[in-house]
Amino acid sequence: MSVRPMTMHAESIRLASEGLTWLEHLFLCIANAPDAGLHAKRLAEIGRYLASDAADSADCANAEMRSDIEKGGAQ
């Protein structure tokens, strides 16, 4: 894979991580909403956990790809 597509993939992974982080915060707001029912709160807590886990994985993948790009001399 050439450097340009790798850089584009790394940027896509970064954007995915950012979107998942926003989703995590949205689920957290739902879970903490005073008028949310118990079922909604539990689903929101599960969603927050899954979004957080996926965001962490995307962050790691982005860091690894950026490191590989830099090792290859790309910016």
Side-chain angles (χ1 to χ4, degrees):
M1 185 180 292
S2 70
V3 173
R4 182 171 287 272
M6 282 184 71
T7 303
M8 291 170 52
H9 287 297
E11 181 63 13
S12 295
I13 293 169
R14 186 194 66 76
L15 289 172
S17 175
E18 188 175 307
L20 288 162
T21 300
W22 279 103
L23 190 58
E24 176 187 357
H25 290 288
L26 175 63
F27 282 128
L28 185 61
C29 289
I30 294 168
N32 292 331
D35 57 342
L38 183 60
H39 187 68
K41 286 181 182 250
R42 286 193 176 158
L43 287 174
E45 288 169 1
I46 292 167
R48 186 210 54 80
Y49 174 79
L50 293 172
S52 175
D53 192 46
D56 289 345
S57 293
D59 275 341
C60 290
N62 183 43
E64 285 180 23
M65 188 170 282
R66 290 283 179 191
S67 176
D68 290 346
I69 291 169
E70 289 172 8
K71 285 178 187 173
Q75 294 293 327

